[in-house]
């Protein structure tokens, strides 16, 4: 019998460890930095249903990625919880041997009802996006009238269902919600939940990103540590995007994701599959590789794994390290489509 081939490494020596799967390109929020209403209005053409991967197809692709070494799987979107019966997909994926971490990123709007069935289906953890702890700022950021209290109910339901510790993602955009950084840190300090402050990125091309809109990680850290002293923590694994800090008084930790001012491409071990089955080897890509055609065209499991391997060994993406005034205007795929 032939020995199993070694897990592939890309041209920069990076393995594929994390798989992010977008289950829908639709969302019920219109966050200004992600799906601005001017670009994602009533006339926007979302993916037709028959172009979206079925749960069975997603499971098959996931098994192929796991055979190449993927160990973490995250469901995302769009808003993943608007995909009907998502817990059925979670049940399929949680049965795959080799997945060590199965998680979900959500805006939390439907989490209060969904947390228990998701946990029962085998989900391990959730990350909830929340850009402010006060309603006016939150509404300004997501452009959808939705109370913070409902997201907090979702976080509580997740914790109760055993999906904690909950990570909470806050994208910081200058002049929009930078005043909410300290209130967010203050609110979640001592709760066991981990807020991760994210530099606003030039993903996609509809959000009109400008470097001036980015609040650098250093400034976010200064704001929080002036009120609550912080100590850096060691990373726990390769590819961890958040720099971790703990409160000196022991009341928990925060993370900072500085993909603009301190890029981490050298450690990027992520593959992304869009809802219509395209593989993207970088969050800032302009094009993907069609996997749906392969799956629907009758390819065997070995052929699918072979194609993924060929794509991965040729991977040379390092967008954030190469970012410049020339790269910013590229028509990169939207985050709502590729999956955050
Ligand atoms: N709808 C889900 C949610 O809100 O978490 C999942 C998809 S969303 C695209 C995933 C994450 O990407 C969210 O935490 C969101 O805030 C973040 N995100 C979207 N656009 C971003 C940008 N331009 N810069 C930084 N983070 C962004």
């Amino acid at each position: 019998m032939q020995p199993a081939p070694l897990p592939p490494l890309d041209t920069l020596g990076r393995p594929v460890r994390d798989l992010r799967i977008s289950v829908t390109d639709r969302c019920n929020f219109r966050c200004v930095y992600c799906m601005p209403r001017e670009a994602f209005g009533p006339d926007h053409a979302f993916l037709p249903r028959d172009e979206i991967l079925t749960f069975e197809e997603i499971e098959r692709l996931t098994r192929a990625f796991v055979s190449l070494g993927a160990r973490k799987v995250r469901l995302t979107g769009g808003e993943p919880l608007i995909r009907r019966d998502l817990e059925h997909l979670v049940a399929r994926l949680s049965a795959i041997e080799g997945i060590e971490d199965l998680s979900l990123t959500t805006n939390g709007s439907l989490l209060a009802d969904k947390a228990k069935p998701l946990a029962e289906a085998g989900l391990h953890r959730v990350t909830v996006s929340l850009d402010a702890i006060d309603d006016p700022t939150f509404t300004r950021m997501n452009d959808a009238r939705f109370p913070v209290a409902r997201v907090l109910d979702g976080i509580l339901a997740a914790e109760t269902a055993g999906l904690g510790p909950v990570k909470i993602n806050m994208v910081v955009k200058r002049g929009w919600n930078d005043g909410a950084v300290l209130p967010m840190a203050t609110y979640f300090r001592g709760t066991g939940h981990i807020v991760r402050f994210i530099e606003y990125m030039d993903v996609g091309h509809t959000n009109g990103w400008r470097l001036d809109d980015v609040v650098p990680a250093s400034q976010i850290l200064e704001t929080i540590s002036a009120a609550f002293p912080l100590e850096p923590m060691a990373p726990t694994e390769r590819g961890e995007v958040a720099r971790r800090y703990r409160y000196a008084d022991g009341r928990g930790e925060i993370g900072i994701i500085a993909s603009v001012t301190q890029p981490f491409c050298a450690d990027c071990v992520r593959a992304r599959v869009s809802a219509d089955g395209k593989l993207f080897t970088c969050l800032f890509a302009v094009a993907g590789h069609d996997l749906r055609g392969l799956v629907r065209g009758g390819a065997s499991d070995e052929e699918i794994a072979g194609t993924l391997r060929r794509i991965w060994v040729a991977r040379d993406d390092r967008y954030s390290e190469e970012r410049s005034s020339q790269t910013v205007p590229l028509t990169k795929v939207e985050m709502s489509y590729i999956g955050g």
Side-chain angles (χ1 to χ4, degrees), residues 90-264:
V90 169
R92 280 173 176 268
L93 300 184
S94 69
I96 299 177
E97 214 171 301
I99 297 181
E100 291 161 10
D101 186 31
L102 179 58
S103 60
L104 169 86
T105 302
T106 171
N107 62 26
S109 58
L110 303 169
L111 191 57
D113 292 334
K114 285 286 190 174
K116 193 160 177 272
L118 287 167
E120 285 169 356
L123 191 74
H124 298 159
R125 300 184 299 117
V126 288
T127 296
V128 177
S129 305
L130 180 63
D131 294 328
I133 199 68
D134 69 283
D135 277 322
T137 312
F138 185 50
T139 303
R140 222 152 69 88
M141 290 295 279
N142 64 33
D143 200 8
R145 277 188 220 106
F146 196 86
V148 171
R150 294 254 298 279
V151 180
L152 297 179
D153 289 346
I155 293 173
L156 180 62
E159 188 183 14
T160 310
L163 295 172
V166 177
K167 287 187 181 153
I168 295 157
N169 278 356
M170 172 177 178
V171 176
V172 185
K173 184 171 179 195
R174 187 181 299 285
W176 284 72
N177 69 336
D178 37 349
V181 166
L182 190 55
M184 278 284 284
T186 308
Y187 184 88
F188 286 105
R189 226 169 83 82
T191 63
H193 306 314
I194 302 164
V195 184
R196 290 138 35 107
F197 300 89
I198 305 178
E199 284 179 349
Y200 172 38
M201 295 183 279
D202 53 329
V203 204
H205 67 283
T206 59
N207 61 11
W209 184 90
R210 297 172 317 145
L211 189 55
D212 285 354
D213 296 330
V214 179
V215 180
S218 54
Q219 201 176 321
I220 297 172
L221 259 185
E222 250 172 59
T223 303
I224 301 172
S225 57
F228 309 115
L230 290 163
E231 297 165 350
M233 296 167 72
T236 44
E237 61 187 65
R238 180 170 186 186
E240 191 167 71
V241 296
R243 290 175 186 231
R244 302 167 66 206
Y245 295 84
R246 68 176 142 245
Y247 291 112
D249 63 5
R251 299 203 64 206
E253 68 172 88
I254 60 158
I256 309 259
I257 302 181
S259 45
V260 177
T261 61
Q262 294 152 11
F264 34 79

Side-chain angles (χ1 to χ4, degrees), residues 245-313:
Y245 295 84
R246 68 176 142 245
Y247 291 112
D249 63 5
R251 299 203 64 206
E253 68 172 88
I254 60 158
I256 309 259
I257 302 181
S259 45
V260 177
T261 61
Q262 294 152 11
F264 34 79
C265 303
D267 275 332
C268 180
V269 290
R270 293 181 173 178
R272 293 182 148 84
V273 176
S274 60
D276 60 347
K278 290 211 174 68
L279 166 60
F280 292 89
T281 54
C282 177
L283 179 57
F284 301 91
V286 288
H289 306 262
D290 178 38
L291 301 179
R292 190 187 61 204
L294 200 64
V295 172
R296 293 192 181 168
S300 67
D301 291 346
E302 291 69 30
E303 283 165 343
I304 294 173
T307 301
L308 298 183
R309 178 178 285 274
R310 276 195 296 283
I311 295 170
W312 194 262
V313 297

